[in-house]
Amino acid sequence: MVSRSYSNLLELASGDSPTFGRMNRQIPRIMAVAGIMSNIDNDSKDTDLSPKDRIIIVANELPIRAQRRVDGNGSGSSSSSTCCSKGWNFSWDENSLLLQLKDGLGDEAIEVIYVGCLKEEIPLNEQEEVYQILLESFKCVPTFLPLDLYTRYYHGFCKQQLWPLFHYMLPLSPDLGGRFDRTLWQAYVSVNKIFADRIMEVINPEDDFVWIHDYHLMVLPTFLRKRFNRVKLGFFLHSPFPSSEIYKTLPIREELLRALLNSDLIGFHTFDYARHFLSCCSRMLGLTYESKRGYIGIEYYGRTVSIKILPVGIHMGQLQSVLSLPETERKVGELIERYGRKGRTMLLGVDDMDIFKGITLKLLAMEQLLMQHPEWQGKVVLVQIANPARGKGKDVKEMQAETYSTVKRINETFGRPGYDPIVLIDAPLKFYERVAYYVVAECCLVTAVRDGMNLIPYEYIVSRQGNEKLDKILKLEANNRNKKSMLVVSEFIGCSPSLSGAIRVNPWNVDAVADAMDSALEVAEPEKQLRHEKHYKYVSTHDVGYWARSFLQDLERSCGEHGRRRCWGIGFGLSFRVVALDQSFRKLSMEHIVSAYKRTKTRAILLDYDDTLMPQGSIDKRPSSKSIDILNTLCRDKGNLVFIVSAKSRETLSDWFSPCEKLGIAAEHGYFLRLRKAVEWENCVAAVDCSWKQIAEPVMELYTETTDGSTIEDKETALVWSYEDADPDFGSCQAKELLDHLESVLANEPVTVKRGQNYVEVKPQGVSKGLIARRMLSMMQERGTLPEFVLCIGDDRSDEDMFEVICSSTEGPSIAPRAEIFACTVGQKPSKAKYYLDDTTEIVRLMHGLASVTDQITPV
């Protein structure tokens, strides 16, 4: 089948409209003018979710049921919910979360287009017709994949590698999850690329929102961001996200993290899942996050990637309509006759037949219940509905065999004529039949050993709320129709935190689960009613519509800065990312600064040292011979005044820069100053009393003892607690506690306590690097040599004081009129500087370039 995606990306960049064929006729919202970036000077459009806006929802499977016609002679007629082709019948899958999401948003509120695969394989010669029908009748863009590719992508990489790992199953042997197979990974990437091509067929990148769902499409954000730097892109993970200790075993761990970070908003069901993701970003990519006004964000190359924590809900309207069906009422009557009339209480389990749902553990807990509490024998029945497994493999077959044998053994041990303690239903049930079991069950057991969300408890709660007709069938008195329900849920499922009235259990502890089952049966009626009321209030207000609207509102907020930023892509393959900066914040160009350097005669140069001239993480902090040569060359020009401004002690800096005769040095953030090697050190502020160290040092020592990898640096006027070599999460937590502790005990001392990158520092009040910048400019003013060129480079918060002084001096008397000012920070981050360079390598290259110019214009 001929691909409808862009055949040549050069066509995009040319400014000519690409040819979409029939797509332009079918989707009027298609992009009118091609281009990866819009004009950055244009005013940005508001991103309100108005009725004209459109959401493209992307998932592995479309919310469509496809059924092969037996006669093969369809008329092509269609209705609002079904459509026929010559060989196929198509209809909406009412149980699909994606369709429920659309209903929750409201049909008139926003246009929704779906992109995904069909559950059925469509022959090549029928794909064109099926594509056209699904697009016209359902606004669905089907992604057709060759069977072999789909098998390697879905049953291979997704189900054998990602899915087990995300559920905490390590491939310690070939039988325990699939070992990493790069060919399967390549298939996964290929399929994600095909999905990107399908989205390209319908997207208007300036206006449309794209919402990607689940782990099947984790690298898709990179392909979309590469095509359109400003695409409004959200991703929601419906599975658990494992702890960093588990996740870091994945060979392509960084590729997946970087791909997800190409989204604007990343959603998780629980805080635990989000916390694990943030920890992985910190430990493997060195990224930090912060919470502002309740929103969590990760700074990533100038973009803020937002983190959303909100569990999905159920479709209340659909479930209530099923409860009202005559078929449901009849089925409820049958179940009451089968169990209620015989005085038996039903416990219910509804799970997929896979290894993480804990079915066997639940059966063993039922066995334990009957053994420890023989009074329940003959009175309690566990109905276990086992839905077909979604995956394939040896582990699924073994689990099925174990389940059948366990059921048989328990029934043989505790059964009697007319009574089986466990009823296993492994045949597919219609939804109304499952709902009928919910209505009748006195308690629902969800004991998965690991599950992303699991909406079974929510469905059970709403079903137990019932309606008037069901109340009559259940013979609830009109004056006492207080509803009740009981839940026993695993601690390891996503819905557990939101069900505070449930009995939470560790599913691996069979005795504890058995005790919980007994407690659920023994709970007093008023207590059951209170628990049910609490749960129903939450579930009914946090439905799928609430979840979808909340996610899209946050996505809109996260994309609000798109039009006000300059964007461009860097990196290759899955390392691609977009740099997004304010219009006034730009990269320092070598050509620009060299040209300014050549045009001017008097120059002031201030350089931070750690993480500016010296790379972060270097064990040997001494300057290299190359750096010494560069500094000496710059100092040789009589028109240059060059200063190293550092937090290091003056002894350390004197030793390190001893070969530099004319270099100015400011130590301990500017408390000590030396104009050149031949002169004495002087204080920039009045001498201070350091008796406060006797208070601060014992506190720091306490945190050093309890934080492996942390150290204390005792300077003449300051104390620094560093946790650069500690665990990043624990070190950051300890630094926050230390900061609060020191601020408390030093409240009456003339010092300031500040936290920087991997350190907490206590120093005298009034000492800052801004002092050195001000002193340097005033010194040149006194000499009558106003600087025509000012360069100031630093990397952290302490350097912002220098930037502020330099930038604010442009209108004062201490700088020459029309002077060239270059305040430059390291990395793309919020800063008072107007320029940035990516890393220390670029800074050294820049300084080397200026030194080369000095060599040309200054004789040795």
Side-chain angles (χ1 to χ4, degrees):
M1 178 178 173
V2 179
S3 173
R4 304 176 188 81
S5 63
Y6 290 121
S7 59
N8 189 347
L9 284 179
L10 292 176
E11 189 179 23
L12 271 176
S14 69
D16 298 325
S17 296
T19 302
F20 287 90
R22 66 168 181 268
M23 290 302 300
N24 270 323
R25 299 194 299 273
Q26 301 302 333
I27 305 291
R29 289 285 312 282
I30 201 69
M31 180 176 61
V33 178
I36 294 178
M37 289 172 53
S38 64
N39 187 342
I40 61 175
D41 295 323
N42 291 343
D43 293 333
S44 62
K45 297 181 180 179
D46 292 332
T47 53
D48 297 330
L49 290 177
S50 67
K52 296 181 180 179
D53 284 316
R54 193 171 65 171
I55 300 292
I56 299 175
I57 295 178
V58 192
N60 179 55
E61 289 185 350
L62 291 171
I64 295 291
R65 287 195 180 98
Q67 186 175 8
R68 170 68 78 176
R69 293 177 61 85
V70 178
D71 55 15
N73 294 316
S75 61
S77 62
S78 63
S79 66
S80 60
S81 60
T82 62
C83 187
C84 303
S85 70
K86 291 183 179 179
W88 295 89
N89 288 335
F90 298 105
S91 62
W92 288 114
D93 182 357
E94 302 293 340
N95 294 328
S96 171
L97 174 65
L98 304 183
L99 183 61
Q100 295 172 5
L101 180 159
K102 176 185 176 183
D103 291 342
L105 290 173
D107 289 337
E108 303 301 324
I110 194 166
E111 181 183 1
V112 176
I113 291 179
Y114 294 102
V115 178
C117 298
L118 287 166
K119 298 180 180 69
E120 304 294 331
E121 184 182 5
I122 307 297
L124 185 63
N125 61 349
E126 300 179 40
Q127 290 179 5
E128 287 287 345
E129 180 188 10
V130 168
Y131 184 102
Q132 190 73 15
I133 289 172
L134 292 180
L135 185 61
E136 293 175 352
S137 303
F138 298 94
K139 292 186 180 177
C140 289
V141 179
T143 303
F144 300 116
L145 301 174
L147 181 59
D148 176 63
L149 179 62
Y150 182 83
T151 300
R152 287 184 288 123
Y153 147 75
Y154 183 75
H155 295 292
F157 193 77
C158 290
K159 285 300 182 182
Q160 291 182 20
Q161 297 185 0
L162 279 185
W163 190 73
L165 187 81
F166 278 26
H167 288 76
Y168 288 74
M169 187 178 192
L170 290 174
L172 300 176
S173 71
D175 294 334
L176 295 174
R179 294 279 175 84
F180 182 77
D181 185 335
R182 190 156 293 276
T183 61
L184 299 182
W185 162 242
Q186 290 167 350
Y188 181 84
V189 173
S190 297
V191 169
N192 277 249
K193 173 65 166 57
I194 293 172
F195 268 82
D197 292 338
R198 293 296 167 268
I199 296 169
M200 292 292 292
E201 297 168 2
V202 295
I203 191 173
N204 181 345
E206 295 296 324
D207 299 314
D208 293 347
F209 291 82
V210 181
W211 187 356
I212 302 171
H213 290 264
D214 224 1
Y215 63 93
H216 314 91
L217 302 170
M218 291 178 74
V219 298
L220 178 56
T222 291
F223 291 118
L224 293 178
R225 187 70 63 190
K226 192 171 186 178
R227 301 285 182 89
F228 298 115
N229 292 169
R230 296 181 181 178
V231 63
K232 295 177 246 184
L233 181 58
F235 181 95
F236 197 94
L237 183 67
H238 293 271
S239 76
F241 195 94
S243 70
S244 60
E245 289 300 304
I246 298 293
Y247 180 79
K248 70 181 181 181
T249 63
L250 194 61
I252 40 84
R253 60 192 189 184
E254 291 189 11
E255 288 89 334
L256 289 184
L257 289 178
R258 292 192 184 278
L260 288 179
L261 290 170
N262 276 320
S263 306
D264 293 298
L265 176 66
I266 306 173
F268 300 92
H269 285 306
T270 72
F271 173 70
D272 276 348
Y273 303 161
R275 178 169 56 86
H276 294 158
F277 173 76
L278 293 170
S279 178
C280 288
C281 289
S282 172
R283 293 171 181 273
M284 295 165 210
L285 302 181
L287 301 176
T288 59
Y289 67 91
E290 60 181 347
S291 179
K292 292 182 179 179
R293 298 181 180 179
Y295 297 105
I296 300 174
I298 303 175
E299 288 297 323
Y300 188 61
Y301 289 90
R303 296 171 51 247
T304 299
V305 181
S306 298
I307 303 299
K308 176 76 172 177
I309 302 168
L310 184 66
V312 69
I314 61 173
H315 193 310
M316 289 291 295
Q318 180 198 26
L319 190 50
Q320 288 169 343
S321 65
V322 172
L323 285 167
S324 301
L325 292 175
E327 299 96 308
T328 306
E329 296 169 6
R330 284 195 296 270
K331 186 65 178 179
V332 169
E334 292 175 9
L335 294 176
I336 291 175
E337 190 68 29
R338 187 182 310 168
Y339 297 103
R341 297 287 185 267
K342 298 179 181 179
R344 289 170 185 161
T345 301
M346 181 196 296
L347 305 178
L348 179 66
V350 181
D351 304 278
D352 291 345
M353 185 72 85
D354 72 47
I355 57 176
F356 295 111
K357 292 301 188 286
I359 294 179
T360 304
L361 293 172
K362 188 189 305 179
L363 299 177
L364 295 176
M366 179 65 178
E367 181 181 35
Q368 194 76 357
L369 173 71
L370 297 175
M371 290 172 59
Q372 293 179 350
H373 301 277
E375 66 273 15
W376 290 120
Q377 296 179 18
K379 297 179 181 179
V380 175
V381 176
L382 171 60
V383 176
Q384 177 62 54
I385 298 173
N387 302 317
R390 300 181 188 180
K392 300 177 181 178
K394 179 182 177 182
D395 52 358
V396 173
K397 293 180 180 179
E398 290 177 348
M399 196 273 296
Q400 289 174 333
E402 183 183 12
T403 299
Y404 294 139
S405 64
T406 304
V407 170
K408 181 180 179 182
R409 175 173 55 78
I410 295 173
N411 283 341
E412 288 177 349
T413 303
F414 298 99
R416 61 185 69 168
Y419 169 72
D420 284 329
I422 298 177
V423 177
L424 179 64
I425 303 173
D426 57 357
L429 290 182
K430 294 181 178 178
F431 187 50
Y432 80 85
E433 294 178 300
R434 194 170 86 202
V435 169
Y437 278 98
Y438 288 147
V439 173
V440 176
E442 190 70 18
C443 176
C444 184
L445 311 172
V446 183
T447 56
V449 297
R450 188 72 60 177
D451 208 350
M453 181 59 192
N454 201 312
L455 293 174
I456 298 299
Y458 288 12
E459 294 177 351
Y460 169 71
I461 291 164
V462 176
S463 299
R464 290 288 288 181
Q465 185 69 15
N467 55 42
E468 289 188 6
K469 290 185 177 180
L470 291 174
D471 289 347
K472 292 178 181 178
I473 297 173
L474 295 170
K475 294 187 176 180
L476 296 178
E477 297 178 8
N479 60 351
N480 184 23
R481 289 184 177 175
N482 292 324
K483 307 305 171 66
K484 59 184 181 179
S485 62
M486 283 301 298
L487 281 166
V488 176
V489 299
S490 166
E491 299 170 353
F492 305 116
I493 62 177
C495 66
S496 176
S498 62
L499 298 171
S500 56
I503 302 176
R504 297 192 182 102
V505 296
N506 174 3
W508 299 101
N509 188 338
V510 173
D511 290 337
V513 177
D515 290 342
M517 294 164 69
D518 180 61
S519 297
L521 293 168
E522 295 284 6
V523 167
E525 296 298 304
E527 177 72 12
K528 292 180 180 180
Q529 293 166 6
L530 288 173
R531 291 177 186 241
H532 172 80
E533 182 181 349
K534 185 176 186 179
H535 288 160
Y536 183 75
K537 182 178 180 180
Y538 175 84
V539 173
S540 60
T541 55
H542 293 73
D543 62 356
V544 67
Y546 174 87
W547 170 74
R549 289 190 298 272
S550 179
F551 186 89
L552 291 175
Q553 286 169 3
D554 276 10
L555 179 57
E556 172 197 354
R557 176 188 55 79
S558 301
C559 300
E561 294 292 320
H562 279 195
R564 293 185 284 272
R565 297 292 186 94
R566 294 181 301 115
C567 301
W568 67 92
I570 59 174
F572 299 97
L574 293 177
S575 295
F576 175 86
R577 61 268 190 203
V578 166
V579 176
L581 301 175
D582 289 334
Q583 301 283 5
S584 61
F585 191 50
R586 54 191 182 274
K587 189 166 186 177
L588 185 54
S589 164
M590 173 73 80
E591 293 77 11
H592 184 194
I593 194 170
V594 167
S595 174
Y597 189 88
K598 288 180 178 179
R599 290 195 308 269
T600 54
K601 299 297 182 182
T602 54
R603 312 177 190 95
I605 301 174
L606 295 96
L607 303 171
D608 177 44
Y609 184 70
D610 280 329
D611 304 335
T612 300
L613 290 179
M614 176 57 60
Q616 183 180 6
S618 297
I619 296 176
D620 185 2
K621 300 291 187 179
R622 299 178 67 90
S624 64
S625 57
K626 180 180 179 181
S627 296
I628 295 294
D629 290 342
I630 290 173
L631 293 172
N632 278 331
T633 302
L634 292 172
C635 292
R636 194 169 64 243
D637 190 324
K638 295 181 179 180
N640 291 348
L641 184 58
V642 185
F643 263 86
I644 290 292
V645 187
S646 173
K648 298 290 185 185
S649 67
R650 55 180 173 174
E651 288 79 7
T652 299
L653 295 174
S654 295
D655 177 39
W656 286 356
F657 293 99
S658 58
C660 302
E661 299 286 342
K662 299 179 180 180
L663 177 68
I665 299 176
E668 300 194 18
H669 289 299
Y671 185 89
F672 296 110
L673 175 68
R674 191 180 73 182
L675 299 180
R676 55 186 179 277
K677 185 178 180 180
V679 301
E680 294 295 322
W681 287 90
E682 59 181 275
N683 295 352
C684 286
V685 296
V688 296
D689 178 13
C690 291
S691 60
W692 56 266
K693 286 187 177 182
Q694 298 174 10
I695 303 172
E697 193 164 12
V699 176
M700 286 189 175
E701 288 174 349
L702 173 64
Y703 284 82
T704 303
E705 291 172 4
T706 57
T707 311
D708 187 39
S710 64
T711 58
I712 299 174
E713 183 181 0
D714 187 357
K715 304 176 185 177
E716 290 184 65
T717 64
L719 278 176
V720 180
W721 185 79
S722 172
Y723 60 98
E724 184 176 356
D725 296 326
D727 178 273
D729 288 339
F730 184 56
S732 178
C733 178
Q734 291 288 79
K736 184 179 183 301
E737 291 295 324
L738 176 60
L739 181 69
D740 294 340
H741 197 160
L742 289 172
E743 285 179 338
S744 175
V745 299
L746 298 173
N748 298 321
E749 300 294 330
V751 294
T752 58
V753 185
K754 288 192 175 182
R755 181 179 175 185
Q757 187 170 358
N758 298 325
Y759 71 85
V760 174
E761 182 174 31
V762 185
K763 62 182 181 180
Q765 290 177 349
V767 176
S768 74
K769 292 184 179 180
L771 282 176
I772 297 303
R774 196 173 290 111
R775 176 73 178 273
M776 186 179 190
L777 295 178
S778 63
M779 191 186 309
M780 297 185 74
Q781 183 181 8
E782 291 169 3
R783 294 176 181 176
T785 56
L786 296 181
E788 301 170 348
F789 173 101
V790 180
L791 172 63
C792 179
I793 306 178
D795 75 296
D796 67 7
R797 296 175 187 173
S798 65
D799 300 306
E800 295 296 316
D801 295 326
M802 286 197 299
F803 300 149
E804 185 176 12
V805 170
I806 294 299
C807 294
S808 63
S809 298
T810 53
E811 299 177 0
S814 58
I815 292 183
R818 295 183 296 277
E820 301 281 0
I821 308 296
F822 300 95
C824 177
T825 188
V826 182
Q828 302 90 26
K829 56 180 179 286
S831 175
K832 294 173 184 175
K834 301 298 183 184
Y835 298 92
Y836 79 93
L837 289 171
D838 286 326
D839 50 35
T840 56
T841 303
E842 289 193 350
I843 292 168
V844 172
R845 188 182 302 125
L846 172 70
M847 301 311 298
H848 184 266
L850 297 182
S852 299
V853 175
T854 303
D855 272 333
Q856 297 171 12
I857 62 178
T858 306
V860 179

